[in-house]
PDB file of all heavy atoms in Angstrom:
ATOM      1  N   PRO A   1       7.507 -17.892 -12.327  1.00 84.00           N
ATOM      2  CA  PRO A   1       6.698 -17.347 -11.237  1.00 84.00           C
ATOM      3  C   PRO A   1       6.670 -15.829 -11.289  1.00 84.00           C
ATOM      4  O   PRO A   1       7.650 -15.192 -11.677  1.00 84.00           O
ATOM      5  CB  PRO A   1       7.359 -17.869  -9.970  1.00 84.00           C
ATOM      6  CG  PRO A   1       8.706 -18.301 -10.368  1.00 84.00           C
ATOM      7  CD  PRO A   1       8.718 -18.538 -11.838  1.00 84.00           C
ATOM      8  N   ARG A   2       5.520 -15.269 -10.887  1.00 85.00           N
ATOM      9  CA  ARG A   2       5.369 -13.838 -10.914  1.00 85.00           C
ATOM     10  C   ARG A   2       4.927 -13.335  -9.549  1.00 85.00           C
ATOM     11  O   ARG A   2       4.232 -14.019  -8.816  1.00 85.00           O
ATOM     12  CB  ARG A   2       4.343 -13.442 -11.964  1.00 85.00           C
ATOM     13  CG  ARG A   2       4.803 -13.691 -13.377  1.00 85.00           C
ATOM     14  CD  ARG A   2       3.627 -13.644 -14.339  1.00 85.00           C
ATOM     15  NE  ARG A   2       4.047 -13.696 -15.739  1.00 85.00           N
ATOM     16  CZ  ARG A   2       4.385 -14.780 -16.362  1.00 85.00           C
ATOM     17  NH1 ARG A   2       4.413 -15.944 -15.739  1.00 85.00           N
ATOM     18  NH2 ARG A   2       4.755 -14.743 -17.641  1.00 85.00           N
ATOM     19  N   THR A   3       5.338 -12.105  -9.263  1.00 86.00           N
ATOM     20  CA  THR A   3       4.878 -11.431  -8.065  1.00 86.00           C
ATOM     21  C   THR A   3       4.261 -10.129  -8.502  1.00 86.00           C
ATOM     22  O   THR A   3       4.841  -9.390  -9.291  1.00 86.00           O
ATOM     23  CB  THR A   3       6.041 -11.166  -7.094  1.00 86.00           C
ATOM     24  OG1 THR A   3       6.586 -12.402  -6.682  1.00 86.00           O
ATOM     25  CG2 THR A   3       5.571 -10.383  -5.874  1.00 86.00           C
ATOM     26  N   HIS A   4       3.067  -9.813  -8.028  1.00 88.00           N
ATOM     27  CA  HIS A   4       2.360  -8.599  -8.412  1.00 88.00           C
ATOM     28  C   HIS A   4       2.485  -7.578  -7.277  1.00 88.00           C
ATOM     29  O   HIS A   4       2.321  -7.908  -6.102  1.00 88.00           O
ATOM     30  CB  HIS A   4       0.886  -8.898  -8.675  1.00 88.00           C
ATOM     31  CG  HIS A   4       0.672  -9.938  -9.714  1.00 88.00           C
ATOM     32  ND1 HIS A   4       0.513  -9.619 -11.054  1.00 88.00           N
ATOM     33  CD2 HIS A   4       0.629 -11.298  -9.651  1.00 88.00           C
ATOM     34  CE1 HIS A   4       0.380 -10.706 -11.756  1.00 88.00           C
ATOM     35  NE2 HIS A   4       0.433 -11.767 -10.933  1.00 88.00           N
ATOM     36  N   VAL A   5       2.776  -6.338  -7.646  1.00 89.00           N
ATOM     37  CA  VAL A   5       2.812  -5.248  -6.687  1.00 89.00           C
ATOM     38  C   VAL A   5       1.635  -4.344  -7.040  1.00 89.00           C
ATOM     39  O   VAL A   5       1.588  -3.705  -8.106  1.00 89.00           O
ATOM     40  CB  VAL A   5       4.152  -4.466  -6.754  1.00 89.00           C
ATOM     41  CG1 VAL A   5       4.121  -3.302  -5.756  1.00 89.00           C
ATOM     42  CG2 VAL A   5       5.321  -5.400  -6.453  1.00 89.00           C
ATOM     43  N   LEU A   6       0.664  -4.272  -6.158  1.00 88.00           N
ATOM     44  CA  LEU A   6      -0.542  -3.489  -6.354  1.00 88.00           C
ATOM     45  C   LEU A   6      -0.354  -2.162  -5.641  1.00 88.00           C
ATOM     46  O   LEU A   6      -0.269  -2.099  -4.425  1.00 88.00           O
ATOM     47  CB  LEU A   6      -1.756  -4.247  -5.800  1.00 88.00           C
ATOM     48  CG  LEU A   6      -3.092  -3.567  -5.922  1.00 88.00           C
ATOM     49  CD1 LEU A   6      -3.457  -3.339  -7.384  1.00 88.00           C
ATOM     50  CD2 LEU A   6      -4.144  -4.418  -5.238  1.00 88.00           C
ATOM     51  N   CYS A   7      -0.278  -1.095  -6.445  1.00 88.00           N
ATOM     52  CA  CYS A   7      -0.143   0.247  -5.871  1.00 88.00           C
ATOM     53  C   CYS A   7      -1.519   0.810  -5.595  1.00 88.00           C
ATOM     54  O   CYS A   7      -2.340   0.926  -6.515  1.00 88.00           O
ATOM     55  CB  CYS A   7       0.632   1.150  -6.816  1.00 88.00           C
ATOM     56  SG  CYS A   7       2.320   0.560  -7.121  1.00 88.00           S
ATOM     57  N   THR A   8      -1.786   1.098  -4.356  1.00 85.00           N
ATOM     58  CA  THR A   8      -3.169   1.480  -3.935  1.00 85.00           C
ATOM     59  C   THR A   8      -3.310   2.961  -3.608  1.00 85.00           C
ATOM     60  O   THR A   8      -4.269   3.356  -2.980  1.00 85.00           O
ATOM     61  CB  THR A   8      -3.577   0.649  -2.702  1.00 85.00           C
ATOM     62  OG1 THR A   8      -2.644   0.887  -1.635  1.00 85.00           O
ATOM     63  CG2 THR A   8      -3.652  -0.826  -3.027  1.00 85.00           C
ATOM     64  N   GLY A   9      -2.370   3.769  -4.078  1.00 80.00           N
ATOM     65  CA  GLY A   9      -2.473   5.214  -3.835  1.00 80.00           C
ATOM     66  C   GLY A   9      -3.531   5.837  -4.721  1.00 80.00           C
ATOM     67  O   GLY A   9      -4.261   5.157  -5.431  1.00 80.00           O
ATOM     68  N   ASP A  10      -3.616   7.144  -4.650  1.00 74.00           N
ATOM     69  CA  ASP A  10      -4.596   7.882  -5.451  1.00 74.00           C
ATOM     70  C   ASP A  10      -4.366   7.614  -6.947  1.00 74.00           C
ATOM     71  O   ASP A  10      -3.252   7.436  -7.405  1.00 74.00           O
ATOM     72  CB  ASP A  10      -4.452   9.401  -5.202  1.00 74.00           C
ATOM     73  CG  ASP A  10      -4.882   9.774  -3.796  1.00 74.00           C
ATOM     74  OD1 ASP A  10      -5.908   9.256  -3.352  1.00 74.00           O
ATOM     75  OD2 ASP A  10      -4.168  10.562  -3.160  1.00 74.00           O
ATOM     76  N   GLU A  11      -5.459   7.589  -7.691  1.00 72.00           N
ATOM     77  CA  GLU A  11      -5.344   7.376  -9.151  1.00 72.00           C
ATOM     78  C   GLU A  11      -6.490   8.156  -9.806  1.00 72.00           C
ATOM     79  O   GLU A  11      -7.523   8.400  -9.197  1.00 72.00           O
ATOM     80  CB  GLU A  11      -5.410   5.916  -9.500  1.00 72.00           C
ATOM     81  CG  GLU A  11      -6.683   5.215  -9.106  1.00 72.00           C
ATOM     82  CD  GLU A  11      -6.602   3.710  -9.367  1.00 72.00           C
ATOM     83  OE1 GLU A  11      -5.537   3.130  -9.314  1.00 72.00           O
ATOM     84  OE2 GLU A  11      -7.673   3.157  -9.605  1.00 72.00           O
ATOM     85  N   PRO A  12      -6.315   8.510 -11.086  1.00 70.00           N
ATOM     86  CA  PRO A  12      -7.384   9.222 -11.786  1.00 70.00           C
ATOM     87  C   PRO A  12      -8.662   8.378 -11.831  1.00 70.00           C
ATOM     88  O   PRO A  12      -8.605   7.151 -11.868  1.00 70.00           O
ATOM     89  CB  PRO A  12      -6.799   9.425 -13.195  1.00 70.00           C
ATOM     90  CG  PRO A  12      -5.335   9.313 -13.027  1.00 70.00           C
ATOM     91  CD  PRO A  12      -5.108   8.342 -11.884  1.00 70.00           C
ATOM     92  N   GLU A  13      -9.791   9.047 -11.854  1.00 73.00           N
ATOM     93  CA  GLU A  13     -11.071   8.336 -11.869  1.00 73.00           C
ATOM     94  C   GLU A  13     -11.276   7.478 -13.107  1.00 73.00           C
ATOM     95  O   GLU A  13     -11.993   6.497 -13.082  1.00 73.00           O
ATOM     96  CB  GLU A  13     -12.223   9.349 -11.725  1.00 73.00           C
ATOM     97  CG  GLU A  13     -12.272  10.042 -10.392  1.00 73.00           C
ATOM     98  CD  GLU A  13     -13.394  11.055 -10.309  1.00 73.00           C
ATOM     99  OE1 GLU A  13     -14.259  11.076 -11.214  1.00 73.00           O
ATOM    100  OE2 GLU A  13     -13.404  11.805  -9.332  1.00 73.00           O
ATOM    101  N   ASP A  14     -10.663   7.842 -14.240  1.00 71.00           N
ATOM    102  CA  ASP A  14     -10.895   7.115 -15.465  1.00 71.00           C
ATOM    103  C   ASP A  14      -9.939   5.958 -15.685  1.00 71.00           C
ATOM    104  O   ASP A  14      -9.865   5.405 -16.763  1.00 71.00           O
ATOM    105  CB  ASP A  14     -10.879   8.056 -16.667  1.00 71.00           C
ATOM    106  CG  ASP A  14      -9.531   8.777 -16.862  1.00 71.00           C
ATOM    107  OD1 ASP A  14      -8.703   8.711 -15.929  1.00 71.00           O
ATOM    108  OD2 ASP A  14      -9.341   9.396 -17.903  1.00 71.00           O
ATOM    109  N   VAL A  15      -9.199   5.570 -14.647  1.00 72.00           N
ATOM    110  CA  VAL A  15      -8.303   4.447 -14.746  1.00 72.00           C
ATOM    111  C   VAL A  15      -8.940   3.227 -14.092  1.00 72.00           C
ATOM    112  O   VAL A  15      -9.403   3.281 -12.987  1.00 72.00           O
ATOM    113  CB  VAL A  15      -6.940   4.746 -14.050  1.00 72.00           C
ATOM    114  CG1 VAL A  15      -6.087   3.497 -13.967  1.00 72.00           C
ATOM    115  CG2 VAL A  15      -6.218   5.849 -14.794  1.00 72.00           C
ATOM    116  N   THR A  16      -8.997   2.146 -14.852  1.00 76.00           N
ATOM    117  CA  THR A  16      -9.538   0.891 -14.345  1.00 76.00           C
ATOM    118  C   THR A  16      -8.404  -0.130 -14.241  1.00 76.00           C
ATOM    119  O   THR A  16      -7.722  -0.368 -15.231  1.00 76.00           O
ATOM    120  CB  THR A  16     -10.648   0.349 -15.288  1.00 76.00           C
ATOM    121  OG1 THR A  16     -11.639   1.350 -15.419  1.00 76.00           O
ATOM    122  CG2 THR A  16     -11.230  -0.930 -14.731  1.00 76.00           C
ATOM    123  N   ARG A  17      -8.227  -0.706 -13.098  1.00 77.00           N
ATOM    124  CA  ARG A  17      -7.184  -1.703 -12.923  1.00 77.00           C
ATOM    125  C   ARG A  17      -7.634  -3.064 -13.460  1.00 77.00           C
ATOM    126  O   ARG A  17      -8.772  -3.428 -13.308  1.00 77.00           O
ATOM    127  CB  ARG A  17      -6.843  -1.884 -11.438  1.00 77.00           C
ATOM    128  CG  ARG A  17      -6.281  -0.706 -10.774  1.00 77.00           C
ATOM    129  CD  ARG A  17      -6.101  -1.036  -9.275  1.00 77.00           C
ATOM    130  NE  ARG A  17      -5.830   0.141  -8.524  1.00 77.00           N
ATOM    131  CZ  ARG A  17      -4.611   0.491  -8.102  1.00 77.00           C
ATOM    132  NH1 ARG A  17      -3.596  -0.285  -8.389  1.00 77.00           N
ATOM    133  NH2 ARG A  17      -4.450   1.579  -7.408  1.00 77.00           N
ATOM    134  N   ARG A  18      -6.700  -3.760 -14.104  1.00 81.00           N
ATOM    135  CA  ARG A  18      -6.978  -5.119 -14.482  1.00 81.00           C
ATOM    136  C   ARG A  18      -6.819  -5.986 -13.229  1.00 81.00           C
ATOM    137  O   ARG A  18      -5.828  -5.857 -12.486  1.00 81.00           O
ATOM    138  CB  ARG A  18      -6.009  -5.608 -15.548  1.00 81.00           C
ATOM    139  CG  ARG A  18      -6.349  -5.051 -16.928  1.00 81.00           C
ATOM    140  CD  ARG A  18      -5.366  -5.567 -17.941  1.00 81.00           C
ATOM    141  NE  ARG A  18      -4.111  -4.853 -17.703  1.00 81.00           N
ATOM    142  CZ  ARG A  18      -2.957  -5.208 -18.175  1.00 81.00           C
ATOM    143  NH1 ARG A  18      -2.820  -6.285 -18.878  1.00 81.00           N
ATOM    144  NH2 ARG A  18      -1.889  -4.491 -17.953  1.00 81.00           N
ATOM    145  N   PRO A  19      -7.754  -6.853 -12.956  1.00 86.00           N
ATOM    146  CA  PRO A  19      -7.610  -7.718 -11.757  1.00 86.00           C
ATOM    147  C   PRO A  19      -6.466  -8.707 -11.927  1.00 86.00           C
ATOM    148  O   PRO A  19      -6.182  -9.185 -13.014  1.00 86.00           O
ATOM    149  CB  PRO A  19      -8.961  -8.421 -11.650  1.00 86.00           C
ATOM    150  CG  PRO A  19      -9.533  -8.364 -13.012  1.00 86.00           C
ATOM    151  CD  PRO A  19      -8.986  -7.149 -13.693  1.00 86.00           C
ATOM    152  N   VAL A  20      -5.825  -8.996 -10.795  1.00 87.00           N
ATOM    153  CA  VAL A  20      -4.793 -10.037 -10.794  1.00 87.00           C
ATOM    154  C   VAL A  20      -5.515 -11.388 -10.682  1.00 87.00           C
ATOM    155  O   VAL A  20      -6.346 -11.574  -9.802  1.00 87.00           O
ATOM    156  CB  VAL A  20      -3.817  -9.831  -9.611  1.00 87.00           C
ATOM    157  CG1 VAL A  20      -2.804 -10.957  -9.551  1.00 87.00           C
ATOM    158  CG2 VAL A  20      -3.147  -8.481  -9.738  1.00 87.00           C
ATOM    159  N   PRO A  21      -5.178 -12.319 -11.559  1.00 88.00           N
ATOM    160  CA  PRO A  21      -5.836 -13.636 -11.480  1.00 88.00           C
ATOM    161  C   PRO A  21      -5.481 -14.340 -10.181  1.00 88.00           C
ATOM    162  O   PRO A  21      -4.395 -14.152  -9.630  1.00 88.00           O
ATOM    163  CB  PRO A  21      -5.292 -14.394 -12.680  1.00 88.00           C
ATOM    164  CG  PRO A  21      -4.040 -13.689 -13.077  1.00 88.00           C
ATOM    165  CD  PRO A  21      -4.184 -12.247 -12.616  1.00 88.00           C
ATOM    166  N   LYS A  22      -6.395 -15.134  -9.665  1.00 90.00           N
ATOM    167  CA  LYS A  22      -6.130 -15.882  -8.420  1.00 90.00           C
ATOM    168  C   LYS A  22      -4.994 -16.891  -8.584  1.00 90.00           C
ATOM    169  O   LYS A  22      -4.280 -17.176  -7.635  1.00 90.00           O
ATOM    170  CB  LYS A  22      -7.415 -16.564  -7.929  1.00 90.00           C
ATOM    171  CG  LYS A  22      -8.494 -15.593  -7.537  1.00 90.00           C
ATOM    172  CD  LYS A  22      -9.649 -16.316  -6.863  1.00 90.00           C
ATOM    173  CE  LYS A  22     -10.802 -15.416  -6.554  1.00 90.00           C
ATOM    174  NZ  LYS A  22     -10.565 -14.171  -5.927  1.00 90.00           N
ATOM    175  N   LEU A  23      -4.857 -17.436  -9.794  1.00 90.00           N
ATOM    176  CA  LEU A  23      -3.795 -18.388 -10.087  1.00 90.00           C
ATOM    177  C   LEU A  23      -2.908 -17.836 -11.171  1.00 90.00           C
ATOM    178  O   LEU A  23      -3.384 -17.237 -12.127  1.00 90.00           O
ATOM    179  CB  LEU A  23      -4.363 -19.726 -10.540  1.00 90.00           C
ATOM    180  CG  LEU A  23      -5.134 -20.547  -9.512  1.00 90.00           C
ATOM    181  CD1 LEU A  23      -5.703 -21.803 -10.179  1.00 90.00           C
ATOM    182  CD2 LEU A  23      -4.272 -20.927  -8.340  1.00 90.00           C
ATOM    183  N   GLN A  24      -1.602 -18.091 -11.034  1.00 87.00           N
ATOM    184  CA  GLN A  24      -0.646 -17.757 -12.090  1.00 87.00           C
ATOM    185  C   GLN A  24      -0.796 -18.763 -13.207  1.00 87.00           C
ATOM    186  O   GLN A  24      -1.398 -19.827 -13.053  1.00 87.00           O
ATOM    187  CB  GLN A  24       0.786 -17.782 -11.530  1.00 87.00           C
ATOM    188  CG  GLN A  24       1.033 -16.783 -10.441  1.00 87.00           C
ATOM    189  CD  GLN A  24       2.457 -16.846  -9.966  1.00 87.00           C
ATOM    190  OE1 GLN A  24       3.365 -16.805 -10.773  1.00 87.00           O
ATOM    191  NE2 GLN A  24       2.649 -16.959  -8.656  1.00 87.00           N
ATOM    192  N   ARG A  25      -0.196 -18.458 -14.340  1.00 83.00           N
ATOM    193  CA  ARG A  25      -0.268 -19.387 -15.489  1.00 83.00           C
ATOM    194  C   ARG A  25       0.424 -20.714 -15.200  1.00 83.00           C
ATOM    195  O   ARG A  25       0.132 -21.702 -15.824  1.00 83.00           O
ATOM    196  CB  ARG A  25       0.322 -18.724 -16.720  1.00 83.00           C
ATOM    197  CG  ARG A  25      -0.550 -17.569 -17.201  1.00 83.00           C
ATOM    198  CD  ARG A  25      -0.018 -16.925 -18.445  1.00 83.00           C
ATOM    199  NE  ARG A  25      -0.035 -17.866 -19.534  1.00 83.00           N
ATOM    200  CZ  ARG A  25       0.669 -17.724 -20.635  1.00 83.00           C
ATOM    201  NH1 ARG A  25       1.456 -16.680 -20.789  1.00 83.00           N
ATOM    202  NH2 ARG A  25       0.622 -18.621 -21.598  1.00 83.00           N
ATOM    203  N   ASN A  26       1.323 -20.722 -14.215  1.00 85.00           N
ATOM    204  CA  ASN A  26       1.998 -21.987 -13.871  1.00 85.00           C
ATOM    205  C   ASN A  26       1.194 -22.783 -12.837  1.00 85.00           C
ATOM    206  O   ASN A  26       1.656 -23.812 -12.376  1.00 85.00           O
ATOM    207  CB  ASN A  26       3.426 -21.713 -13.379  1.00 85.00           C
ATOM    208  CG  ASN A  26       3.476 -20.935 -12.080  1.00 85.00           C
ATOM    209  OD1 ASN A  26       2.453 -20.649 -11.470  1.00 85.00           O
ATOM    210  ND2 ASN A  26       4.653 -20.575 -11.656  1.00 85.00           N
ATOM    211  N   GLY A  27      -0.001 -22.295 -12.463  1.00 88.00           N
ATOM    212  CA  GLY A  27      -0.868 -23.009 -11.576  1.00 88.00           C
ATOM    213  C   GLY A  27      -0.692 -22.628 -10.092  1.00 88.00           C
ATOM    214  O   GLY A  27      -1.481 -23.041  -9.250  1.00 88.00           O
ATOM    215  N   GLU A  28       0.346 -21.888  -9.780  1.00 89.00           N
ATOM    216  CA  GLU A  28       0.566 -21.460  -8.384  1.00 89.00           C
ATOM    217  C   GLU A  28      -0.363 -20.305  -8.038  1.00 89.00           C
ATOM    218  O   GLU A  28      -0.739 -19.529  -8.907  1.00 89.00           O
ATOM    219  CB  GLU A  28       2.015 -21.019  -8.196  1.00 89.00           C
ATOM    220  CG  GLU A  28       3.034 -22.104  -8.362  1.00 89.00           C
ATOM    221  CD  GLU A  28       4.467 -21.580  -8.210  1.00 89.00           C
ATOM    222  OE1 GLU A  28       4.637 -20.444  -7.737  1.00 89.00           O
ATOM    223  OE2 GLU A  28       5.390 -22.312  -8.578  1.00 89.00           O
TER     224      GLU A  28
END
């Protein structure tokens, strides 16, 4: 199981975040 921590502070304009999938690879 994985837990994602999304840091939402300021970031450079040329940085694109990869989206977190709605489901983990284990189906949860």
Side-chain angles (χ1 to χ4, degrees):
R2 292 164 172 79
T3 298
H4 303 269
V5 178
L6 180 61
C7 297
T8 59
D10 292 317
E11 61 186 30
E13 292 178 11
D14 60 349
V15 171
T16 302
R17 296 177 193 258
R18 283 181 286 164
V20 176
K22 294 189 185 315
L23 292 177
Q24 298 181 51
R25 292 182 64 199
N26 64 5
E28 294 178 12

